Every structure is written in C-alpha cells, then in structure tokens.
Amino acid sequence: MAQYVAPVEDGKLVYDYQKIKNEKEQSEKTQTGSKLGYDQFLTLLCAEMQYQDPLEPTSNTEYVAQLATFSQLEATLSLQTTEQSNMANGLVGKYVILNVTDSTTGKQSYVDGKVDYVMHNPDGSVMLSVNNKLYPLEDLDTVADSDYYEATGMAKSIENMLGMLPDVEDITAEYETAVKQIRDLFDGMTSYQQQFVDPDALKKLQAYEAQLAKVKPVTPDKPDDTAEGSGSTEGSEKTEGAQTV
C-alpha cells in the first residue's frame, strides 16, 4: 500500500481516517505485509508540524486529539482482527460450504467438507484447510451442523443412486438389488434424516418397487414328492397283497 498523504488546507493537514482504514484493509487483502502503525502516524504528525502556519500554529490539544483518534482506530482494527482469528479457530471440525472463484476463469463453484485446521499467515490472512486444500477465509459461505451435513449428504446419495437407474417403465428384475439398496438406505435413516429426502425421489423409489413387483418372475411352489411317493408305494403294496391273497 502506498503511504497515505494527508491533504494540506490552510497550512494544516486534514486526516481522512476512513480512507486510512480502507487502505489498511486493502493492504491486508493484497498480502503486501505493510501496516499503518504509529511510525506512519508520527511521520504524518511531523509533516503537519513542519508545514503548519507559523502565524497560527496548531495547538497541543489538537495533536493529542489526533493521536487519541488514531489510537482508537488502531485498537478497533486490532480487535476486529482478533475476533476474526477466534472465529476461524472455532471452525475446526465444523462442516462448511465455500464459495470458490477460479482465479483463471472467474467461474464460481461450491466446495463442501470439514475444516481440518486453520492457518494464520504472517501477513494476517487466514486460510481454511478443507479436503486437503487451503482456501481463504473470505470464501466461507455456510457453516453447517454435523447432523445436518450428514442428513443432507445421505439424501443426496439417494437421489444420485436413483439417477443411475433407467426409467421406471424400463426397469427389469436385474435392478432388484440396486433398488433394494436404496430402500435399505432410506429405512436405515432417522426421521430427522428422512425429512431431507426429496418427496419426488421417494415417490420414484416407490414406483421402481411397484414396477419390480410386476416384472419379477414368480417361482411356482414345488409339489411334495415325498408325500406322493409314499402314497404310491402304499397302494402298490396293497395291490400286491390282494393278488397274493
């Protein structure tokens, strides 16, 4: 960041503290590593004293007021940085959704996963480690509860599995195992998790099951060969006995 130069009006420097704050924040974002601190403020103060009107010098009260104002501004920025750092540390172990912008194409995409650790760089920037990749804290879009994240993930899995099946009218008996896996996944979910499943997806699953019931071949019951055999034998023995008699 270029050094801030205050304009001179009537032999006095006029400070735009909002501009100082904006330039400081811009400096941190561009990772220049430069900071506006007391050294820079003293430089500005010395310049004001050097170029002040000798006939109407600035009073000591004004210098103290300027110093107090700058100190308050720096304390506010420091507190903001500390709060941001604490917030980032609290994300470890949480499931997050990041809105990532490709540096080459400018295309935006969403990345979700659990924050493994937080990296604090010397320039003040903060990076989040998600899926073994580092993303700036500014990409953070959503912080999700672990139960919510798991529920939505399972619901998405059901939708993806259904999407891999053919149309309902084209379903055959060979897809029975795949349909059963989806049903088992849904039945194994808690009531909280089931509410995240799209109702249309559940209707589609039921339609597959109904179609399978139509196309699945029915295995006929086998006759009791033992019973028939015992009856025939008994009849032949009686016949032979009669003939003998």
Side-chain angles (χ1 to χ4, degrees):
M1 179 183 72
Q3 183 174 352
Y4 173 73
V5 179
V8 180
E9 294 182 5
D10 297 329
K12 298 181 181 180
L13 293 177
V14 180
Y15 295 97
D16 187 344
Y17 292 104
Q18 184 61 41
K19 185 174 182 180
I20 295 175
K21 177 180 178 182
N22 293 339
E23 291 187 359
K24 175 177 174 61
E25 293 176 347
Q26 183 64 29
S27 173
E28 292 176 349
K29 290 182 180 180
T30 54
Q31 300 182 2
T32 59
S34 60
K35 296 182 179 180
L36 182 61
Y38 282 105
D39 291 340
Q40 288 77 11
F41 177 78
L42 291 176
T43 300
L44 296 175
L45 191 60
C46 291
E48 181 178 358
M49 295 176 65
Q50 180 180 358
Y51 293 102
Q52 65 179 325
D53 186 356
L55 300 178
E56 295 182 6
T58 305
S59 66
N60 294 335
T61 303
E62 292 185 24
Y63 289 136
V64 173
Q66 293 172 5
L67 180 60
T69 302
F70 185 83
S71 299
Q72 182 180 7
L73 173 62
E74 187 171 61
T76 301
L77 295 177
S78 177
L79 179 61
Q80 180 181 357
T81 302
T82 302
E83 290 179 349
Q84 184 184 56
S85 177
N86 292 337
M87 185 270 288
N89 293 338
L91 293 175
V92 176
K94 298 290 185 65
Y95 291 93
V96 298
I97 300 176
L98 305 171
N99 188 357
V100 180
T101 302
D102 190 284
S103 58
T104 304
T105 63
K107 182 179 179 180
Q108 291 185 329
S109 60
Y110 288 94
V111 175
D112 62 277
K114 185 172 69 173
V115 179
D116 298 318
Y117 62 88
V118 175
M119 177 182 291
H120 298 271
N121 295 321
D123 58 13
S125 62
V126 180
M127 308 294 289
L128 304 178
S129 174
V130 179
N131 302 331
N132 295 324
K133 291 185 178 180
L134 291 174
Y135 300 91
L137 181 62
E138 290 75 14
D139 289 347
L140 180 65
D141 182 85
T142 305
V143 181
D145 176 76
S146 57
D147 293 336
Y148 170 85
Y149 186 84
E150 182 180 7
T152 54
M154 296 178 70
K156 188 64 176 179
S157 296
I158 289 180
E159 295 178 12
N160 292 338
M161 294 170 70
L162 287 171
M164 298 176 64
L165 296 176
D167 294 336
V168 175
E169 57 271 15
D170 297 330
I171 203 72
T172 59
E174 63 180 306
Y175 293 100
E176 179 182 8
T177 301
V179 173
K180 187 177 184 303
Q181 288 178 345
I182 301 175
R183 168 56 67 179
D184 291 342
L185 176 59
F186 178 80
D187 291 342
M189 298 169 65
T190 64
S191 57
Y192 171 77
Q193 294 168 341
Q194 289 179 351
Q195 67 180 346
F196 291 94
V197 178
D198 191 333
D200 291 336
L202 186 57
K203 291 179 180 178
K204 191 174 183 180
L205 173 59
Q206 294 169 345
Y208 279 127
E209 292 173 330
Q211 182 67 13
L212 276 174
K214 297 177 181 179
V215 301
K216 183 180 178 180
V218 180
T219 304
D221 295 335
K222 294 183 179 180
D224 191 348
D225 297 333
T226 305
E228 291 182 359
S230 60
S232 300
T233 304
E234 183 180 355
S236 61
E237 291 177 351
K238 289 182 179 180
T239 304
E240 291 178 358
Q243 289 176 351
T244 304
V245 172

